[in-house]
mmCIF file of all heavy atoms in Angstrom:
data_model
loop_
_atom_site.group_PDB
_atom_site.id
_atom_site.type_symbol
_atom_site.label_atom_id
_atom_site.label_comp_id
_atom_site.label_asym_id
_atom_site.label_seq_id
_atom_site.Cartn_x
_atom_site.Cartn_y
_atom_site.Cartn_z
ATOM 1 N N MET A 163 19.584 -3.899 -7.030
ATOM 2 C CA MET A 163 20.038 -2.968 -5.966
ATOM 3 C C MET A 163 19.791 -3.536 -4.601
ATOM 4 O O MET A 163 20.582 -3.358 -3.661
ATOM 5 C CB MET A 163 19.343 -1.630 -6.148
ATOM 6 C CG MET A 163 19.846 -0.543 -5.243
ATOM 7 S SD MET A 163 19.039 1.042 -5.669
ATOM 8 C CE MET A 163 19.728 1.393 -7.252
ATOM 9 N N VAL A 164 18.684 -4.302 -4.466
ATOM 10 C CA VAL A 164 18.320 -4.873 -3.157
ATOM 11 C C VAL A 164 18.479 -6.376 -3.118
ATOM 12 O O VAL A 164 17.938 -7.068 -2.197
ATOM 13 C CB VAL A 164 16.859 -4.460 -2.744
ATOM 14 C CG1 VAL A 164 16.744 -2.969 -2.559
ATOM 15 C CG2 VAL A 164 15.858 -4.967 -3.767
ATOM 16 N N ASP A 165 19.226 -6.935 -4.111
ATOM 17 C CA ASP A 165 19.454 -8.379 -4.130
ATOM 18 C C ASP A 165 18.117 -9.128 -4.191
ATOM 19 O O ASP A 165 17.971 -10.197 -3.547
ATOM 20 C CB ASP A 165 20.261 -8.841 -2.943
ATOM 21 C CG ASP A 165 21.679 -8.196 -2.969
ATOM 22 O OD1 ASP A 165 22.243 -8.092 -3.992
ATOM 23 O OD2 ASP A 165 22.140 -7.895 -1.882
ATOM 24 N N SER A 192 8.818 -0.763 -3.711
ATOM 25 C CA SER A 192 8.856 -0.869 -2.252
ATOM 26 C C SER A 192 9.599 -2.157 -1.852
ATOM 27 O O SER A 192 9.547 -3.190 -2.504
ATOM 28 C CB SER A 192 7.498 -0.800 -1.657
ATOM 29 O OG SER A 192 6.687 -1.866 -2.070
ATOM 30 N N VAL A 193 10.222 -2.057 -0.655
ATOM 31 C CA VAL A 193 10.929 -3.149 -0.029
ATOM 32 C C VAL A 193 10.649 -3.089 1.487
ATOM 33 O O VAL A 193 10.309 -2.061 2.016
ATOM 34 C CB VAL A 193 12.426 -3.156 -0.295
ATOM 35 C CG1 VAL A 193 12.758 -3.443 -1.740
ATOM 36 C CG2 VAL A 193 13.062 -1.850 0.155
ATOM 37 N N LEU A 194 10.850 -4.221 2.131
ATOM 38 C CA LEU A 194 10.715 -4.299 3.575
ATOM 39 C C LEU A 194 12.070 -4.664 4.233
ATOM 40 O O LEU A 194 12.825 -5.439 3.682
ATOM 41 C CB LEU A 194 9.701 -5.411 4.015
ATOM 42 C CG LEU A 194 8.191 -5.015 4.008
ATOM 43 C CD1 LEU A 194 7.406 -6.303 4.278
ATOM 44 C CD2 LEU A 194 7.881 -3.999 5.114
ATOM 45 N N THR A 195 12.355 -4.039 5.360
ATOM 46 C CA THR A 195 13.542 -4.371 6.110
ATOM 47 C C THR A 195 13.394 -5.826 6.785
ATOM 48 O O THR A 195 12.278 -6.322 6.822
ATOM 49 C CB THR A 195 13.857 -3.358 7.201
ATOM 50 O OG1 THR A 195 12.704 -3.285 8.132
ATOM 51 C CG2 THR A 195 14.083 -1.968 6.626
ATOM 52 N N GLY A 196 14.494 -6.338 7.206
ATOM 53 C CA GLY A 196 14.467 -7.636 7.911
ATOM 54 C C GLY A 196 14.875 -8.789 7.014
ATOM 55 O O GLY A 196 14.543 -8.829 5.867
ATOM 56 N N GLU A 197 15.500 -9.749 7.710
ATOM 57 C CA GLU A 197 16.069 -10.899 6.943
ATOM 58 C C GLU A 197 14.924 -11.720 6.341
ATOM 59 O O GLU A 197 15.089 -12.239 5.171
ATOM 60 C CB GLU A 197 16.845 -11.751 7.907
ATOM 61 C CG GLU A 197 17.488 -12.971 7.263
ATOM 62 C CD GLU A 197 18.365 -13.785 8.213
ATOM 63 O OE1 GLU A 197 18.606 -13.244 9.359
ATOM 64 O OE2 GLU A 197 18.769 -14.898 7.856
ATOM 65 N N ASN A 199 12.386 -10.755 4.863
ATOM 66 C CA ASN A 199 11.866 -10.114 3.701
ATOM 67 C C ASN A 199 12.893 -9.971 2.560
ATOM 68 O O ASN A 199 12.626 -9.296 1.577
ATOM 69 C CB ASN A 199 11.261 -8.730 4.030
ATOM 70 C CG ASN A 199 10.226 -8.892 5.122
ATOM 71 O OD1 ASN A 199 9.196 -9.517 4.977
ATOM 72 N ND2 ASN A 199 10.376 -8.189 6.223
ATOM 73 N N ALA A 200 14.097 -10.461 2.794
ATOM 74 C CA ALA A 200 15.165 -10.293 1.828
ATOM 75 C C ALA A 200 14.808 -10.924 0.508
ATOM 76 O O ALA A 200 14.092 -11.941 0.450
ATOM 77 C CB ALA A 200 16.452 -10.893 2.386
ATOM 78 N N GLN A 202 12.979 -9.565 -1.860
ATOM 79 C CA GLN A 202 11.683 -9.248 -2.357
ATOM 80 C C GLN A 202 11.623 -7.754 -2.744
ATOM 81 O O GLN A 202 12.041 -6.913 -2.004
ATOM 82 C CB GLN A 202 10.629 -9.532 -1.316
ATOM 83 C CG GLN A 202 10.565 -11.021 -0.876
ATOM 84 C CD GLN A 202 9.506 -11.245 0.208
ATOM 85 O OE1 GLN A 202 8.410 -10.711 0.161
ATOM 86 N NE2 GLN A 202 9.875 -12.048 1.139
ATOM 87 N N ILE A 383 16.220 8.867 5.058
ATOM 88 C CA ILE A 383 16.148 7.562 5.700
ATOM 89 C C ILE A 383 17.081 7.418 6.842
ATOM 90 O O ILE A 383 16.876 6.598 7.763
ATOM 91 C CB ILE A 383 16.357 6.374 4.679
ATOM 92 C CG1 ILE A 383 15.887 5.075 5.232
ATOM 93 C CG2 ILE A 383 17.843 6.406 4.224
ATOM 94 C CD1 ILE A 383 15.751 3.987 4.254
ATOM 95 N N PRO A 389 16.582 -0.154 12.408
ATOM 96 C CA PRO A 389 17.700 -0.713 11.691
ATOM 97 C C PRO A 389 17.332 -0.848 10.188
ATOM 98 O O PRO A 389 16.320 -1.382 9.848
ATOM 99 C CB PRO A 389 17.905 -2.117 12.245
ATOM 100 C CG PRO A 389 17.199 -2.077 13.606
ATOM 101 C CD PRO A 389 16.057 -1.126 13.415
ATOM 102 N N VAL A 390 18.177 -0.307 9.329
ATOM 103 C CA VAL A 390 17.943 -0.342 7.905
ATOM 104 C C VAL A 390 19.197 -0.831 7.194
ATOM 105 O O VAL A 390 20.300 -0.176 7.362
ATOM 106 C CB VAL A 390 17.519 1.088 7.323
ATOM 107 C CG1 VAL A 390 17.307 0.963 5.811
ATOM 108 C CG2 VAL A 390 16.274 1.549 8.018
ATOM 109 N N GLU A 391 19.059 -1.905 6.470
ATOM 110 C CA GLU A 391 20.248 -2.502 5.798
ATOM 111 C C GLU A 391 20.848 -1.532 4.759
ATOM 112 O O GLU A 391 20.133 -0.753 4.169
ATOM 113 C CB GLU A 391 19.869 -3.833 5.117
ATOM 114 C CG GLU A 391 19.379 -4.903 6.073
ATOM 115 C CD GLU A 391 17.862 -4.883 6.313
ATOM 116 O OE1 GLU A 391 17.290 -3.799 6.227
ATOM 117 O OE2 GLU A 391 17.308 -5.978 6.557
ATOM 118 N N PRO A 392 22.145 -1.561 4.545
ATOM 119 C CA PRO A 392 22.849 -0.686 3.613
ATOM 120 C C PRO A 392 22.201 -0.766 2.219
ATOM 121 O O PRO A 392 22.090 0.336 1.569
ATOM 122 C CB PRO A 392 24.255 -1.187 3.594
ATOM 123 C CG PRO A 392 24.449 -1.784 4.919
ATOM 124 C CD PRO A 392 23.205 -2.449 5.288
ATOM 125 N N HIS A 393 21.857 -1.943 1.708
ATOM 126 C CA HIS A 393 21.303 -1.955 0.409
ATOM 127 C C HIS A 393 19.921 -1.254 0.258
ATOM 128 O O HIS A 393 19.576 -0.753 -0.735
ATOM 129 C CB HIS A 393 21.204 -3.416 -0.134
ATOM 130 C CG HIS A 393 20.333 -4.325 0.607
ATOM 131 N ND1 HIS A 393 20.645 -4.888 1.817
ATOM 132 C CD2 HIS A 393 19.035 -4.743 0.361
ATOM 133 C CE1 HIS A 393 19.695 -5.629 2.258
ATOM 134 N NE2 HIS A 393 18.698 -5.558 1.435
ATOM 135 N N ILE A 394 19.180 -1.296 1.397
ATOM 136 C CA ILE A 394 17.906 -0.634 1.378
ATOM 137 C C ILE A 394 18.092 0.867 1.451
ATOM 138 O O ILE A 394 17.350 1.686 0.837
ATOM 139 C CB ILE A 394 16.979 -1.218 2.514
ATOM 140 C CG1 ILE A 394 16.595 -2.592 2.181
ATOM 141 C CG2 ILE A 394 15.770 -0.320 2.739
ATOM 142 C CD1 ILE A 394 15.683 -3.243 3.219
ATOM 143 N N LYS A 395 19.128 1.316 2.162
ATOM 144 C CA LYS A 395 19.430 2.748 2.179
ATOM 145 C C LYS A 395 19.800 3.220 0.818
ATOM 146 O O LYS A 395 19.401 4.301 0.331
ATOM 147 C CB LYS A 395 20.567 3.048 3.145
ATOM 148 C CG LYS A 395 20.144 2.885 4.619
ATOM 149 C CD LYS A 395 21.360 3.238 5.512
ATOM 150 C CE LYS A 395 20.925 3.110 7.007
ATOM 151 N NZ LYS A 395 22.038 3.420 7.953
ATOM 152 N N ARG A 396 20.556 2.391 0.049
ATOM 153 C CA ARG A 396 20.923 2.783 -1.323
ATOM 154 C C ARG A 396 19.711 2.832 -2.197
ATOM 155 O O ARG A 396 19.502 3.744 -3.022
ATOM 156 C CB ARG A 396 21.873 1.743 -1.894
ATOM 157 C CG ARG A 396 23.282 1.802 -1.344
ATOM 158 C CD ARG A 396 24.290 1.022 -2.228
ATOM 159 N NE ARG A 396 23.900 -0.390 -2.330
ATOM 160 C CZ ARG A 396 24.337 -1.342 -1.510
ATOM 161 N NH1 ARG A 396 25.054 -1.018 -0.437
ATOM 162 N NH2 ARG A 396 23.960 -2.547 -1.680
ATOM 163 N N PHE A 397 18.758 1.899 -1.979
ATOM 164 C CA PHE A 397 17.517 1.894 -2.709
ATOM 165 C C PHE A 397 16.736 3.167 -2.465
ATOM 166 O O PHE A 397 16.192 3.803 -3.387
ATOM 167 C CB PHE A 397 16.663 0.681 -2.303
ATOM 168 C CG PHE A 397 15.218 0.688 -2.798
ATOM 169 C CD1 PHE A 397 14.913 0.335 -4.081
ATOM 170 C CD2 PHE A 397 14.249 1.060 -1.896
ATOM 171 C CE1 PHE A 397 13.632 0.347 -4.513
ATOM 172 C CE2 PHE A 397 12.888 1.025 -2.310
ATOM 173 C CZ PHE A 397 12.585 0.699 -3.607
ATOM 174 N N ALA A 398 16.651 3.569 -1.175
ATOM 175 C CA ALA A 398 15.849 4.805 -0.843
ATOM 176 C C ALA A 398 16.422 6.078 -1.428
ATOM 177 O O ALA A 398 15.712 7.039 -1.653
ATOM 178 C CB ALA A 398 15.805 4.936 0.650
ATOM 179 N N THR A 399 17.746 6.096 -1.680
ATOM 180 C CA THR A 399 18.394 7.281 -2.217
ATOM 181 C C THR A 399 18.744 7.225 -3.696
ATOM 182 O O THR A 399 19.016 8.285 -4.261
ATOM 183 C CB THR A 399 19.659 7.558 -1.369
ATOM 184 O OG1 THR A 399 20.522 6.453 -1.450
ATOM 185 C CG2 THR A 399 19.337 7.857 0.082
ATOM 186 N N SER A 400 18.757 6.002 -4.256
ATOM 187 C CA SER A 400 19.235 5.910 -5.588
ATOM 188 C C SER A 400 18.399 5.041 -6.566
ATOM 189 O O SER A 400 18.854 4.841 -7.704
ATOM 190 C CB SER A 400 20.679 5.269 -5.526
ATOM 191 O OG SER A 400 21.503 5.954 -4.716
ATOM 192 N N ALA A 401 17.238 4.605 -6.152
ATOM 193 C CA ALA A 401 16.381 3.799 -7.068
ATOM 194 C C ALA A 401 16.084 4.615 -8.278
ATOM 195 O O ALA A 401 15.950 5.864 -8.233
ATOM 196 C CB ALA A 401 15.169 3.358 -6.332
ATOM 197 N N ASN A 411 9.698 9.866 -1.385
ATOM 198 C CA ASN A 411 9.748 8.631 -0.637
ATOM 199 C C ASN A 411 8.593 8.530 0.339
ATOM 200 O O ASN A 411 8.005 9.550 0.734
ATOM 201 C CB ASN A 411 11.078 8.452 0.158
ATOM 202 C CG ASN A 411 12.268 8.293 -0.717
ATOM 203 O OD1 ASN A 411 13.188 9.052 -0.677
ATOM 204 N ND2 ASN A 411 12.268 7.207 -1.467
ATOM 205 N N PHE A 413 7.975 6.127 4.002
ATOM 206 C CA PHE A 413 8.416 5.150 4.902
ATOM 207 C C PHE A 413 7.258 4.756 5.903
ATOM 208 O O PHE A 413 6.656 5.634 6.477
ATOM 209 C CB PHE A 413 9.630 5.615 5.745
ATOM 210 C CG PHE A 413 10.735 6.184 4.924
ATOM 211 C CD1 PHE A 413 11.287 7.383 5.223
ATOM 212 C CD2 PHE A 413 11.178 5.490 3.830
ATOM 213 C CE1 PHE A 413 12.323 7.951 4.454
ATOM 214 C CE2 PHE A 413 12.229 5.989 3.058
ATOM 215 C CZ PHE A 413 12.803 7.206 3.389
ATOM 216 N N LEU A 424 10.148 -1.995 8.731
ATOM 217 C CA LEU A 424 9.984 -0.715 8.011
ATOM 218 C C LEU A 424 9.793 -1.056 6.565
ATOM 219 O O LEU A 424 10.551 -1.799 5.985
ATOM 220 C CB LEU A 424 11.190 0.160 8.203
ATOM 221 C CG LEU A 424 11.142 1.576 7.619
ATOM 222 C CD1 LEU A 424 10.147 2.427 8.453
ATOM 223 C CD2 LEU A 424 12.479 2.244 7.547
ATOM 224 N N GLU A 425 8.749 -0.455 5.930
ATOM 225 C CA GLU A 425 8.567 -0.501 4.480
ATOM 226 C C GLU A 425 9.175 0.771 3.920
ATOM 227 O O GLU A 425 8.832 1.885 4.338
ATOM 228 C CB GLU A 425 7.085 -0.636 4.110
ATOM 229 C CG GLU A 425 6.841 -0.766 2.613
ATOM 230 C CD GLU A 425 5.451 -1.015 2.188
ATOM 231 O OE1 GLU A 425 4.546 -0.673 3.013
ATOM 232 O OE2 GLU A 425 5.236 -1.543 1.120
ATOM 233 N N VAL A 426 9.977 0.616 2.919
ATOM 234 C CA VAL A 426 10.640 1.760 2.260
ATOM 235 C C VAL A 426 10.122 1.842 0.802
ATOM 236 O O VAL A 426 10.316 0.856 0.028
ATOM 237 C CB VAL A 426 12.172 1.595 2.291
ATOM 238 C CG1 VAL A 426 12.851 2.733 1.524
ATOM 239 C CG2 VAL A 426 12.675 1.501 3.677
ATOM 240 N N CYS A 427 9.514 2.935 0.532
ATOM 241 C CA CYS A 427 8.939 3.105 -0.844
ATOM 242 C C CYS A 427 9.675 4.235 -1.571
ATOM 243 O O CYS A 427 9.876 5.289 -1.036
ATOM 244 C CB CYS A 427 7.444 3.541 -0.732
ATOM 245 S SG CYS A 427 6.438 2.240 0.133
ATOM 246 N N SER A 428 9.970 3.965 -2.811
ATOM 247 C CA SER A 428 10.619 4.989 -3.701
ATOM 248 C C SER A 428 9.738 5.197 -4.899
ATOM 249 O O SER A 428 9.426 4.244 -5.589
ATOM 250 C CB SER A 428 12.030 4.496 -4.124
ATOM 251 O OG SER A 428 12.661 5.440 -4.962
#
Side-chain angles (χ1 to χ4, degrees):
M163 187 175 291
V164 296
D165 298 321
S192 62
V193 292
L194 276 172
T195 59
E197 185 177 347
N199 303 304
Q202 299 178 43
I383 195 166
V390 181
E391 298 91 329
H393 64 280
I394 292 183
K395 290 182 180 181
R396 288 196 300 272
F397 168 80
T399 57
S400 307
N411 290 120
F413 307 132
L424 185 72
E425 182 175 24
V426 177
C427 302
S428 178

